[in-house]
Amino acid sequence: EMAEEFGDTELRPREYGSLTLKAGRMYHLCRESEIEEPWNIVALAVCSFEQMHTKDGWEFVLSNRVDIENIAWVFENSSSPEEFKERLVELKEQELKHRLGEE
């Protein structure tokens, strides 16, 4: 099974998606609360809740910054769980098209 390595922490694709979703929500909440350094909070939350070393949490956050920002945008621009799900699916479709060179 494909896995991404972050130090001693191994993330499988489903866990990666879940962690990115959680980090996106945390980033959205930080921005909504007008926290000055939202990336510090996001990285610390990832480390805390996923039991990662600080270096590994920062590596995850920085290497997935665009995805986290995109998910935060979906949270900010959805007024219902259904709309959130639709926008998230659209975002994933756009990413897939972009990766396949169709855009």
Side-chain angles (χ1 to χ4, degrees), residues 12-98:
R12 291 178 182 22
R14 174 171 277 150
E15 293 165 338
Y16 165 84
S18 175
L19 182 53
T20 306
L21 190 65
K22 290 175 188 175
R25 183 163 192 253
M26 177 61 73
Y27 184 68
H28 160 67
L29 292 171
C30 288
R31 288 182 36 177
E32 190 175 66
S33 301
E34 299 179 1
I35 291 176
E36 286 187 34
E37 299 292 336
W39 289 109
N40 290 340
I41 303 298
V42 173
L44 291 173
V46 165
C47 293
S48 176
F49 296 121
E50 301 302 319
Q51 300 176 352
M52 286 185 179
H53 185 276
T54 306
K55 178 183 170 287
D56 299 328
W58 269 108
E59 184 177 327
F60 176 84
V61 168
L62 293 174
S63 63
N64 296 290
R65 185 176 181 145
V66 172
D67 290 339
I68 292 168
E69 289 173 336
N70 287 342
I71 290 171
W73 181 89
V74 172
F75 272 107
E76 290 168 17
N77 292 283
S78 300
S79 57
S80 70
E82 295 78 20
E83 186 177 8
F84 175 81
K85 186 175 180 178
E86 286 175 24
R87 289 184 188 263
L88 194 58
V89 168
E90 289 171 6
L91 179 64
K92 290 292 185 186
E93 288 173 351
Q94 287 174 356
E95 287 177 11
L96 183 58
K97 286 179 183 178
H98 180 69

